Amino acid sequence: MTTQIRTLLDTPGNDVVGASAIWYWILWLCVSDCVPLLISLYRCFMIVLFRKTKWPSKSVFLSVALIETAHSVGLSIFVFQVLPNVGPLMGVLLMTAVALVPSIILTLFRAQRDGLRTGKTVIDVLAIGMQGSIFVWLYFYTANTEMIIWISASLVLISFGFWESVSDERFTTGVFGTISRAKQNLNSARYRTYTILNIWKICVSFGVMVYFGVTKYNLAIFFKPLSGLNNNVADESSTISHRDVYWSFFLQTISSFVGYIVAVFAVRTQIQIVGFTLPLVTSHLVSIVAVFLMSCLNTEDISHNFIHRIAVAGNECHPVGQFIGTFFISNYAWFSVFWFVSFLWIAGHIWFPNIEKLAKSSRIFCRPFYCNLLFAESLMLNRINDHILTDKFTAEEVMGSYLSLLSIDINKSQSFHDISSPLCDNHVTKGDKKPTKIFLCATMWHENENEMLNLLKSILRLDKDQSARRLAKTYFGKIDTDYYEFEAHILFDDAFEPTPEGDVINEFVVFFMDSLVKAIRNLNGVPVTELPFVKIPTPHGGRLEWTLPGDNRLTLHLKNKLFVRHRKRWSQVMYMYYLLAWKLKNEIQHDTPEHQHSIVQKTFILALDGDSNFRPRAVLQLVDLMKRDKKVGAACGRIHPIGTGPMVWYQKFEYATGHWFQKAAEHVFGCVLCSPGCFSLFRANAIMSPNVMSKYTVNATTPKEYLQCDQGEDRWLCTLMLKQGFRIEYCAASDAKTYSPESLHEFFNQRRRWMPSTIANNFDLIMDGKLFVAQNETFSWLYIAYQSALFCISLIAPSIVILLLTGACASAVPAFRRDKVYGIWKSLGLVGGPVVFYAIICLKAKREMQLQMASVLTVLYSIFMLLVGIGMTLVLSQSVFCAPGHFLVFSIMVPFVLAALAHPYEATCLPHMIWYWLSVPSMFVLLFIYAICNMHSVAWGTREKPQPEPEKEEPQIKSTQTKAPLFVKEGNAISDIDQLPAIQVHEKTEAVIKMGCDYAFQLMCCLYKTPDRDDIEEAAMQIRINQFEDRVDNLMHQLNIPLVERVETEATPKNQLKAKLSDVIAGSPRVKFVSPTAKPYERNNLLNPYWIEGKRLSGGELRVVSEEESVFWNELIEKYLKPLDKDDVQEAKVNALLVKLRNKSVIGLYTLNLLSIALIFFIQLNPAMQIPWILNTDMSFDVFGMVFLLFYIVVMFVQMIGMLYHRTGTFMYVIAATKIFPDKPKAMSAEKDLSHNALRYASELQNLASSSYFTNTRDPSSDYTRRHANKRAFQILNDKNRRLGSARYEDIFLQRITRLSRHANRGSVEELALSRGLSIQKDTAAAMWKRVSKKLSVKDKHRPEIDTRKEDVQYEF
């Protein structure tokens, strides 16, 4: 296109050729960055609207403005003056000579950092010389001084725009430190800066274009294209039509934009070398060849070199040798080799990417736009150098963020690290040595066995995945960017039930232990009978610890409601403080600040419910979101409700639409407001922030706090994190399942907690909008307005539903439709009458009655909705096409259908829209009324354990003794005193009749001869002392504490004491004695609580907590978790305040909805408020319907845009996480095969239940041998007496790899089968064993023991 300008300038009489000026306008729009700048302006402006952005400092803004002005001027000169004169081929060669300034900056920074004598610095100096050779070339190329000035000025000015990618941020002092700080300031304020600079750059390029155009033409001719183009020919001299001009503009603009999108996609999906670097580097060479070939084909508009007149006449082609000799030698074009080589060196960082998955575009490119003309060159020089970036934190910031906050107000005075640690300029940089650490934290209460199995299988799958990654990393040297470590912690609420002897674990804990064994058996196919565990008494109750097959720890924290507070929020407080304020703090307290920062930044808490079901891939996808942006405090996945029944079907569609539209729109336009506790990943330092945990632990004292803190703890925690400035993101590719309520009663009770909490938090968001916008960069006033609109609509949703149903009923029911006067009133009475009745029931009746009535009305309204739907279908089928009803149905259905198409794997949720439609009155009206009328209730409402009915007491005489018996005669032996059952002595028995007044006096009438009570008490007391001594000895033995030899006393030996005790009561076999003064067996809750002696826990190893941990728990319990003393006066006061708030809310919301109904209803009745339908003037449409339809369309359009944008990001992540071109082991060397497939091999080699056998897959007898191995392995695995104690994944891995190496060395084995779908090459097996044996140092004691006599057995454990 630039040659058209030169062609027309050489045409005689060009002063009358007005149409030729159109090429200046086309070049300005699509070549000189006008379109890219407009796209960048839109993007920056939208980010400024929907995000919190900063202004740069004045000096930085002026400096950047000057640099960008120079860049725009240089680019415009290159387009309008240089390219038309040097021709296309020389113009393409000159495009790599635009890196002079970057080469100088790169050399200065590298010399300052590495010194002048390094090899790279020497090459940098050579690169400067090669880029500077452009001036030598100009000396030989032309004697035209004006042309030399234009070319030199344009190339130097263009190169100023690429200074950022070569500026090292790691300098803090001197001139280099100033440049580094300026770059950091610009990064934090880039979008506001470029919102202004994009407009300025467009104006600058326009001014340069007008200058050159008016210089060549007069003013009237130059602006003639703007007055309208009526000719079919745009350029008379070149006979190019308007269509060609438009196509040139369209192709150039679209191709550049698509190329930019593809480049971003390639980098974000971690295929930079193949999808970014190689295409851009080769594109320059391809451009040279393409222009050269077109020159040989004599396309005159392209082949002219107007300085030396290398033009082609007629249709004959130049001889190739003549053209090369004339152009590349006579015109000194061989200098371009220097320019190209030096350019590749300066942009060499593009060959070594080090960027996380789905990185933001601001993390990929320095400037938020591309260049149409220098497309490949601008992308390469604009790509950020990943190796000169660093996250900088001062030592004071590290101390304030980590160590002091890890104490969590328990021990503020404790200091673990000197703040004046030896750091370069008091800054620390991010380290990468520590792996990602994930704490899985789940809360349980009364989950059933199936729900527990869901969670435990998920944990075991994660254990297996982590074990495979660890084995591949340890033994095969696998470099795994997704490597992680994890611990699982489950907090069990109300885990004990009282007995007269002491507290014992309840039935749900027993279910959990049985479910763990069952989960291991189901997942691995191993008939496990029991998994060894450790029992540890703690100040909060106790905990049980298991070591899973993958050597990861599973800890079950048993909460005693007598020691700590129950419910989910306090369980979260417990595990967050325990993991962060105890475990993490102890881990980093002696590390340097940079290591502290590295560890904390890679520590996450995965919050789960007791029934969550997920895969390891889903967890890693959330971790990827955290890695790409340190400002993300929490990330949630796509939650799928599971269960059976219509209530679950309704929730499947509700959850689907909520994630498709609402969560995606929140993620794109602002920030997700709630990360559900059933599957969410939290960043450790976000939880450690000052105003998060300190406010999350407050005791609810006001009605608002009860609603906001206790009824919706997940939303409350997210609100605190948002106020602190952290972002919450949603990952649609991370799937998790959880059981949802299957009955209407349970669903209503669940939403009765959620709805008031959501309203309270949304109201807090709107009222504190200024704080959110000021603190959180993802919030803007436009986003606050969007949430405010949705909040207001949610408050009047019942009235809108009632009115819509009223109108639909009036139109669908023939009797109402014929009655023009009272039909609409009858319809309103039919729809609203039951609502009024239910509202009264919810205020007067008990909750059970409210739920029963809701069930009845739900069924009736569902039938009503079905009939109305049938009637509306008939009415619409008989009405004119494109009636308002058609348009309304179309606008409702189309977004859901498009969303289902965009989520093909979730499209099965779309049929459940039927149940959603039938339940609209119940869920939007009845549920709203139920939740508001019962918002004063703070009961949990779900998974409530039914309380047993009290047993009827038998008639008896009031007893003065309530102590348990000391012992019971059972046959001829005495049972252990500690194991005696709790037996209350009746006031009148066959042996003794007791009467008295408490302890003042007692009268005992003995019907039989009784022994001497002093002897009984003495013998019983001595037995208890001896038992206590035995327990202490056993405990000291387990703790490896030397026993102290006891000196024998004159006391009666144990066996003589029992014999004496038996002799004493030998004459009274039917007497049960009670001693009111006998002291109970003294127990210590941290040493020998009663629950550790339970039958189900008898096989566990007993340990005790350290003194330091005990002190930590006691301080934590005293400060936050201590159960509140029951205060009837305070409870009555709080209940009164909650009821008062309920009454105000009911009055306010009832009034608001009644006013809405009245206003909108009378608007609909007023004929003057009817407006003609835009598609058919014979039909009218009421104002309310039009406003509602417009609002719905606008909201759905916004959410659709957000959904499509989010789906694009999800698609990128799926591509990044998917191996598009699988490696073929046969086509690779052994070492490469092992490096690429190490994880697959390790995963299969550690498989406990694998029945494969290492044989030659080409051997005809392989099938028989494998079946024989399967049979033998099955016999071993079904040994009922075996336990899982020795079946560790690592043991199986080493045993199988040893046997694999033996089979690989047999004869001519070519391929060994690891499983039915996976085989391994002989050379790979040898390389595998070589690495493993090297890791084990080839020591016999480290080698697994293999039974060589059983050649047909795959492995033993």
Side-chain angles (χ1 to χ4, degrees):
M1 287 186 286
T2 56
T3 56
Q4 295 298 322
I5 298 176
R6 180 65 189 184
T7 302
L8 293 173
L9 293 177
D10 289 347
T11 302
N14 62 347
D15 54 337
V16 296
V17 183
S20 62
I22 191 175
W23 287 108
Y24 278 90
W25 295 95
I26 294 298
L27 287 173
W28 175 66
L29 286 174
C30 63
V31 178
S32 64
D33 281 359
C34 182
V35 172
L37 289 175
L38 289 174
I39 296 174
S40 176
L41 175 63
Y42 167 77
R43 179 169 177 264
C44 293
F45 183 69
M46 294 301 293
I47 291 176
V48 170
L49 282 181
F50 287 97
R51 296 285 189 273
K52 175 192 173 185
T53 54
K54 301 178 181 179
W55 285 106
S57 63
K58 292 182 180 179
S59 59
V60 171
F61 180 81
L62 292 177
S63 300
V64 175
L66 183 62
I67 291 173
E68 293 297 341
T69 301
H71 179 79
S72 293
V73 172
L75 190 63
S76 299
I77 294 174
F78 193 75
V79 171
F80 296 110
Q81 191 67 23
V82 176
L83 289 180
N85 288 279
V86 301
L89 189 55
M90 184 55 71
V92 171
L93 297 178
L94 286 175
M95 288 180 181
T96 55
V98 294
L100 179 61
V101 173
S103 65
I104 297 173
I105 296 176
L106 176 64
T107 303
L108 293 176
F109 272 95
R110 184 129 55 191
Q112 179 69 17
R113 185 179 67 247
D114 301 335
L116 295 175
R117 297 184 179 180
T118 61
K120 290 184 178 180
T121 305
V122 174
I123 300 177
D124 289 339
V125 175
L126 292 177
I128 295 176
M130 292 180 180
Q131 284 289 311
S133 64
I134 184 68
F135 303 108
V136 179
W137 172 80
L138 286 173
Y139 175 78
F140 292 105
Y141 181 71
T142 180
N144 189 335
T145 306
E146 181 181 0
M147 184 56 56
I148 293 176
I149 294 175
W150 285 127
I151 296 176
S152 302
S154 64
L155 295 178
V156 173
L157 292 177
I158 289 173
S159 66
F160 273 103
F162 304 118
W163 67 276
E164 283 190 74
S165 62
V166 292
S167 301
D168 199 330
E169 296 183 5
R170 293 173 289 186
F171 290 91
T172 57
T173 59
V175 178
F176 300 99
T178 302
I179 297 176
S180 177
R181 287 189 294 272
K183 183 179 177 181
Q184 293 174 19
N185 182 264
L186 177 61
N187 288 335
S188 62
R190 185 174 299 277
Y191 295 108
R192 280 187 183 270
T193 302
Y194 277 94
T195 299
I196 298 174
L197 290 183
N198 285 330
I199 300 175
W200 171 247
K201 285 169 69 67
I202 292 174
C203 296
V204 170
S205 62
F206 178 77
V208 176
M209 183 266 296
V210 171
Y211 170 77
F212 286 114
V214 173
T215 301
K216 303 298 180 182
Y217 301 95
N218 59 51
L219 197 63
I221 294 176
F222 181 76
F223 284 99
K224 184 177 180 180
L226 298 182
S227 62
L229 297 173
N230 299 322
N231 301 326
N232 292 326
V233 178
D235 195 328
E236 297 178 2
S237 61
S238 62
T239 66
I240 296 179
S241 65
H242 289 157
R243 185 180 62 181
D244 297 331
V245 173
Y246 298 148
W247 271 110
S248 300
F249 170 74
F250 177 78
L251 292 176
Q252 176 69 21
T253 302
I254 296 300
S255 61
S256 298
F257 180 73
V258 172
Y260 177 74
I261 296 299
V262 172
V264 174
F265 179 84
V267 178
R268 296 189 70 186
T269 54
Q270 295 188 326
I271 53 174
Q272 177 170 322
I273 301 299
V274 178
F276 179 85
T277 305
L278 286 176
L280 292 180
V281 171
T282 56
S283 65
H284 182 74
L285 302 177
V286 171
S287 299
I288 296 174
V289 174
V291 174
F292 174 78
L293 293 178
M294 296 176 74
S295 299
C296 289
L297 292 175
N298 187 27
T299 305
E300 293 191 6
D301 290 332
I302 298 177
S303 63
H304 279 284
N305 186 306
F306 296 103
I307 294 179
H308 293 276
R309 297 296 186 267
I310 305 177
V312 182
N315 295 323
E316 297 180 358
C317 294
H318 271 299
V320 175
Q322 179 185 353
F323 187 86
I324 294 176
T326 305
F327 182 77
F328 284 93
I329 297 177
S330 300
N331 295 324
Y332 304 96
W334 51 269
F335 272 89
S336 62
V337 177
F338 296 150
W339 308 334
F340 181 71
V341 172
S342 61
F343 184 89
L344 292 182
W345 172 259
I346 297 167
H349 59 273
I350 64 175
W351 294 95
F352 308 100
N354 183 26
I355 194 171
E356 62 277 2
K357 296 176 185 176
L358 293 184
K360 295 184 176 181
S361 57
S362 59
R363 173 67 177 80
I364 300 174
F365 297 113
C366 299
R367 303 155 79 200
F369 55 89
Y370 58 95
C371 179
N372 262 346
L373 180 63
L374 306 172
F375 181 77
E377 292 77 12
S378 66
L379 288 183
M380 287 190 283
L381 290 177
N382 200 25
R383 175 70 172 89
I384 293 176
N385 189 344
D386 301 325
H387 299 278
I388 62 175
L389 295 179
T390 180
D391 293 330
K392 295 187 177 180
F393 294 86
T394 62
E396 290 84 355
E397 185 179 353
V398 172
M399 287 292 298
S401 298
Y402 304 144
L403 292 182
S404 61
L405 292 176
L406 280 174
S407 298
I408 321 248
D409 297 330
I410 294 179
N411 191 358
K412 291 184 177 180
S413 62
Q414 189 174 7
S415 179
F416 295 97
H417 192 83
D418 184 11
I419 201 168
S420 59
S421 57
L423 294 172
C424 178
D425 295 323
N426 209 30
H427 280 79
V428 295
T429 58
K430 182 173 66 175
D432 295 322
K433 295 182 179 180
K434 294 291 184 179
T436 300
K437 184 62 176 288
I438 304 174
F439 292 108
L440 272 70
C441 301
T443 56
M444 279 191 175
W445 186 26
H446 290 160
E447 281 77 7
N448 58 40
E449 186 177 2
N450 288 333
E451 294 171 339
M452 293 180 183
L453 279 174
N454 265 344
L455 177 64
L456 290 173
K457 287 182 179 179
S458 301
I459 295 175
L460 290 172
R461 283 193 292 263
L462 199 66
D463 172 67
K464 194 170 186 178
D465 178 77
Q466 193 278 335
S467 176
R469 293 178 184 276
R470 176 171 48 82
L471 295 175
K473 178 182 178 182
T474 303
Y475 293 103
F476 298 158
K478 170 71 174 177
I479 300 176
D480 189 358
T481 57
D482 292 332
Y483 181 75
Y484 62 94
E485 296 176 353
F486 85 95
E487 294 180 15
H489 295 263
I490 301 176
L491 279 81
F492 225 111
D493 252 319
D494 195 13
F496 299 95
E497 56 185 18
T499 64
E501 290 85 356
D503 293 336
V504 296
I505 58 174
N506 62 18
E507 57 181 327
F508 296 100
V509 179
V510 177
F511 288 161
F512 179 88
M513 300 180 70
D514 295 338
S515 299
L516 177 60
V517 176
K518 186 176 181 180
I520 296 177
R521 183 168 58 247
N522 293 344
L523 186 66
N524 295 294
V526 180
V528 183
T529 57
E530 186 176 344
L531 187 67
F533 64 92
V534 177
K535 49 189 177 183
I536 305 175
T538 61
H540 62 74
R543 67 172 179 256
L544 305 177
E545 295 182 355
W546 290 268
T547 300
L548 300 177
D551 288 340
N552 295 294
R553 180 174 297 178
L554 170 62
T555 303
L556 182 66
H557 299 264
L558 306 176
K559 292 175 58 179
N560 192 326
K561 63 181 180 182
L562 300 178
F563 301 155
V564 292
R565 301 177 194 175
H566 64 290
R567 290 198 177 181
K568 183 178 180 179
R569 179 159 74 105
W570 301 111
S571 295
Q572 291 177 330
V573 170
M574 275 187 62
Y575 68 64
M576 288 177 182
Y577 281 10
Y578 172 67
L579 298 175
L580 302 181
W582 173 252
K583 293 181 71 72
L584 183 59
K585 187 182 74 172
N586 290 339
E587 180 181 353
I588 71 172
Q589 60 181 351
H590 299 299
D591 288 336
T592 59
E594 56 266 30
H595 288 160
Q596 293 172 6
H597 174 67
S598 175
I599 294 173
V600 174
Q601 286 293 326
K602 296 179 181 180
T603 302
F604 307 101
I605 291 180
L606 182 63
L608 303 168
D609 277 351
D611 57 356
S612 299
N613 187 358
F614 57 92
R615 298 280 176 175
R617 186 73 255 168
V619 179
L620 295 178
Q621 287 164 343
L622 297 182
V623 173
D624 287 338
L625 285 182
M626 294 291 194
K627 287 181 178 179
R628 76 171 187 175
D629 190 355
K630 66 181 180 181
K631 295 180 181 179
V632 176
C636 59
R638 167 70 164 95
I639 309 301
H640 299 266
I642 55 177
T644 57
M647 201 69 254
V648 177
W649 301 337
Y650 167 85
Q651 292 175 85
K652 285 186 176 182
F653 184 78
E654 180 195 34
Y655 275 64
T657 55
H659 286 87
W660 292 350
F661 296 108
Q662 186 174 351
K663 259 190 170 30
E666 289 178 349
H667 176 96
V668 172
F669 297 111
C671 180
V672 176
L673 300 181
C674 181
S675 186
C678 58
F679 186 69
S680 294
L681 191 69
F682 293 92
R683 190 183 295 274
N685 67 329
I687 297 174
M688 291 153 45
S689 298
N691 294 322
V692 176
M693 290 307 298
S694 60
K695 292 186 177 181
Y696 191 64
T697 55
V698 297
N699 292 324
T701 56
T702 64
K704 179 185 175 183
E705 291 176 347
Y706 273 100
L707 295 179
Q708 197 170 14
C709 303
D710 288 344
Q711 299 299 294
E713 62 288 331
D714 299 330
R715 177 65 188 275
W716 172 234
L717 178 61
C718 293
T719 299
L720 294 175
M721 295 179 68
L722 295 176
K723 287 185 177 181
Q724 192 63 22
F726 290 96
R727 173 176 169 80
I728 300 175
E729 292 195 349
Y730 161 59
C731 179
S734 179
D735 295 295
K737 299 178 182 179
T738 182
Y739 279 97
S740 58
E742 297 183 354
S743 65
L744 186 73
H745 291 198
E746 190 176 4
F747 177 80
F748 266 49
N749 282 326
Q750 181 194 67
R751 300 306 170 92
R752 190 251 318 150
R753 290 188 293 109
W754 289 3
M755 288 184 65
S757 173
T758 302
I759 292 175
N761 281 280
N762 285 340
F763 185 76
D764 186 27
L765 169 66
I766 296 171
M767 292 295 101
D768 289 345
K770 186 176 181 180
L771 175 64
F772 279 93
V773 173
Q775 292 293 116
N776 199 311
E777 66 178 18
T778 60
F779 279 83
S780 64
W781 284 113
L782 190 61
Y783 183 66
I784 296 294
Y786 166 77
Q787 291 293 340
S788 301
L790 296 182
F791 176 74
C792 294
I793 289 297
S794 67
L795 295 182
I796 60 173
S799 61
I800 294 176
V801 171
I802 290 174
L803 288 172
L804 290 176
L805 293 181
T806 299
C809 181
S811 301
V813 179
F816 295 161
R817 189 169 61 251
R818 288 191 297 268
D819 191 348
K820 302 297 183 181
V821 180
Y822 298 105
I824 189 69
W825 290 95
K826 295 177 182 178
S827 177
L828 179 62
L830 179 62
V831 174
V835 175
V836 176
F837 174 72
Y838 185 70
I840 297 174
I841 291 293
C842 288
L843 291 175
K844 297 297 183 180
K846 294 182 178 180
R847 192 179 308 161
E848 189 63 29
M849 181 63 181
Q850 299 174 29
L851 293 173
Q852 292 177 359
M853 186 56 62
S855 301
V856 174
L857 292 178
T858 298
V859 174
L860 295 178
Y861 269 120
S862 298
I863 298 174
F864 172 79
M865 290 294 293
L866 182 61
L867 297 177
V868 168
I870 296 174
M872 287 296 297
T873 303
L874 295 176
V875 171
L876 292 176
S877 63
Q878 299 173 1
S879 60
V880 181
F881 182 69
C882 289
H886 291 134
F887 191 76
L888 179 61
V889 174
F890 180 81
S891 61
I892 291 176
M893 293 297 299
V894 167
F896 294 113
V897 175
L898 292 179
L901 294 177
H903 301 77
Y905 289 104
E906 302 175 24
T908 54
C909 297
L910 192 60
H912 298 308
M913 186 180 183
I914 299 175
W915 301 101
Y916 191 86
W917 159 259
L918 297 178
S919 304
V920 164
S922 176
M923 302 307 162
F924 283 86
V925 181
L926 302 183
L927 178 58
F928 184 87
I929 295 173
Y930 176 78
I932 297 302
C933 292
N934 292 279
M935 64 188 303
H936 62 288
S937 175
V938 294
W940 198 252
T942 55
R943 289 198 177 99
E944 296 281 0
K945 183 180 179 181
Q947 299 294 333
E949 297 182 0
E951 297 180 357
K952 296 182 180 180
E953 298 183 355
E954 297 179 359
Q956 58 186 18
I957 303 174
K958 186 175 181 179
S959 173
T960 60
Q961 176 60 277
T962 59
K963 300 291 183 180
L966 286 174
F967 57 88
V968 179
K969 171 70 176 177
E970 296 180 357
N972 297 325
I974 302 293
S975 65
D976 286 345
I977 295 175
D978 294 331
Q979 298 179 1
L980 295 181
I983 302 176
Q984 298 293 333
V985 179
H986 283 284
E987 288 73 14
K988 182 176 181 179
T989 65
E990 296 181 4
V992 180
I993 297 177
K994 299 185 298 178
M995 293 173 288
C997 180
D998 201 14
Y999 289 96
F1001 66 90
Q1002 287 187 354
L1003 176 63
M1004 181 180 293
C1005 300
C1006 300
L1007 303 182
Y1008 301 97
K1009 178 181 178 180
T1010 58
D1012 186 3
R1013 177 164 293 277
D1014 293 337
D1015 294 339
I1016 295 175
E1017 292 182 357
E1018 181 183 357
M1021 183 61 68
Q1022 190 61 44
I1023 289 177
R1024 289 185 179 277
I1025 293 174
N1026 293 336
Q1027 288 181 339
F1028 179 74
E1029 291 177 352
D1030 292 341
R1031 294 173 187 269
V1032 173
D1033 292 343
N1034 185 34
L1035 180 61
M1036 295 177 68
H1037 176 72
Q1038 294 182 9
L1039 297 177
N1040 295 325
I1041 300 176
L1043 299 178
V1044 179
E1045 184 177 358
R1046 296 190 178 89
V1047 181
E1048 292 292 338
T1049 61
E1050 297 179 358
T1052 307
K1054 299 177 184 179
N1055 55 348
Q1056 296 181 12
L1057 285 171
K1058 289 190 177 183
K1060 178 180 178 180
L1061 192 59
S1062 300
D1063 294 341
V1064 169
I1065 62 172
S1068 305
R1070 301 176 61 189
V1071 178
K1072 298 180 182 180
F1073 295 96
V1074 175
S1075 174
T1077 60
K1079 296 182 180 180
Y1081 176 54
E1082 295 183 0
R1083 292 186 179 273
N1084 189 320
N1085 289 330
L1086 297 181
L1087 294 176
N1088 59 338
Y1090 183 77
W1091 64 268
I1092 65 175
E1093 303 171 6
K1095 181 179 180 181
R1096 189 64 181 84
L1097 302 177
S1098 59
E1101 178 186 355
L1102 178 63
R1103 295 179 186 173
V1104 295
V1105 297
S1106 64
E1107 183 178 354
E1108 294 80 6
E1109 183 179 351
S1110 179
V1111 171
F1112 166 80
W1113 278 116
N1114 289 329
E1115 292 179 348
L1116 181 63
I1117 291 172
E1118 182 65 28
K1119 188 168 185 66
Y1120 296 121
L1121 303 175
K1122 185 178 181 181
L1124 300 176
D1125 296 331
K1126 187 175 182 180
D1127 188 345
D1128 295 336
V1129 177
Q1130 180 65 20
E1131 288 183 3
K1133 181 180 178 181
V1134 171
N1135 290 334
L1137 291 175
L1138 287 171
V1139 172
K1140 184 178 180 180
L1141 177 64
R1142 189 277 309 266
N1143 294 338
K1144 289 183 178 180
S1145 302
V1146 168
I1147 293 173
L1149 293 175
Y1150 278 16
T1151 303
L1152 179 64
N1153 280 273
L1154 288 175
L1155 290 176
S1156 301
I1157 291 175
L1159 177 64
I1160 299 172
F1161 187 71
F1162 284 106
I1163 287 177
Q1164 290 178 319
L1165 291 180
N1166 189 356
M1169 303 301 293
Q1170 302 290 323
I1171 58 177
W1173 178 235
I1174 188 173
L1175 300 178
N1176 189 343
T1177 56
D1178 296 334
M1179 306 181 68
S1180 61
F1181 203 64
D1182 63 271
V1183 175
F1184 163 71
M1186 180 62 71
V1187 172
F1188 170 76
L1189 184 61
L1190 289 177
F1191 179 82
Y1192 175 80
I1193 291 175
V1194 170
V1195 171
M1196 290 306 299
F1197 177 77
V1198 171
Q1199 293 185 349
M1200 282 286 294
I1201 295 298
M1203 180 198 70
L1204 294 176
Y1205 188 89
H1206 191 268
R1207 291 306 292 169
T1208 303
T1210 303
F1211 175 73
M1212 288 185 180
Y1213 184 85
V1214 172
I1215 295 297
T1218 303
K1219 209 168 188 178
I1220 302 178
F1221 304 105
D1223 299 321
K1224 297 180 180 180
K1226 295 181 180 180
M1228 295 187 297
S1229 64
E1231 292 294 331
K1232 188 175 181 181
D1233 179 21
L1234 187 57
S1235 299
H1236 283 73
N1237 300 304
L1239 187 57
R1240 293 178 61 198
Y1241 294 150
S1243 180
E1244 184 57 40
L1245 287 170
Q1246 71 169 2
N1247 195 353
L1248 293 177
S1250 177
S1251 59
S1252 62
Y1253 181 62
F1254 305 129
T1255 60
N1256 184 357
T1257 55
R1258 302 180 185 272
D1259 188 357
S1261 62
S1262 298
D1263 294 337
Y1264 170 77
T1265 308
R1266 189 177 296 109
R1267 288 196 301 270
H1268 186 60
N1270 293 347
K1271 181 178 179 181
R1272 177 58 180 161
F1274 182 79
Q1275 293 175 355
I1276 295 176
L1277 293 175
N1278 280 276
D1279 184 3
K1280 298 298 183 180
N1281 297 323
R1282 288 177 37 244
R1283 296 192 177 194
L1284 192 63
S1286 61
R1288 296 168 59 243
Y1289 289 140
E1290 187 172 3
D1291 294 339
I1292 305 304
F1293 171 82
L1294 293 175
Q1295 292 176 15
R1296 293 192 67 195
I1297 203 171
T1298 304
R1299 186 169 294 277
L1300 174 66
S1301 66
R1302 290 212 314 271
H1303 282 276
N1305 293 328
R1306 290 180 179 177
S1308 59
V1309 176
E1310 298 179 5
E1311 194 174 90
L1312 300 173
L1314 296 181
S1315 65
R1316 291 183 179 179
L1318 181 62
S1319 60
I1320 186 172
Q1321 298 297 310
K1322 173 185 175 180
D1323 295 339
T1324 304
M1328 187 182 296
W1329 172 247
K1330 181 179 179 181
R1331 293 191 182 187
V1332 172
S1333 60
K1334 182 179 179 180
K1335 185 67 180 179
L1336 296 177
S1337 301
V1338 202
K1339 295 181 180 179
D1340 293 338
K1341 62 179 181 179
H1342 292 294
R1343 293 183 181 179
E1345 296 181 0
I1346 304 296
D1347 187 359
T1348 58
R1349 295 171 298 177
K1350 300 177 181 180
E1351 294 297 334
D1352 58 341
V1353 180
Q1354 178 188 343
Y1355 61 84
E1356 293 189 21
F1357 55 94

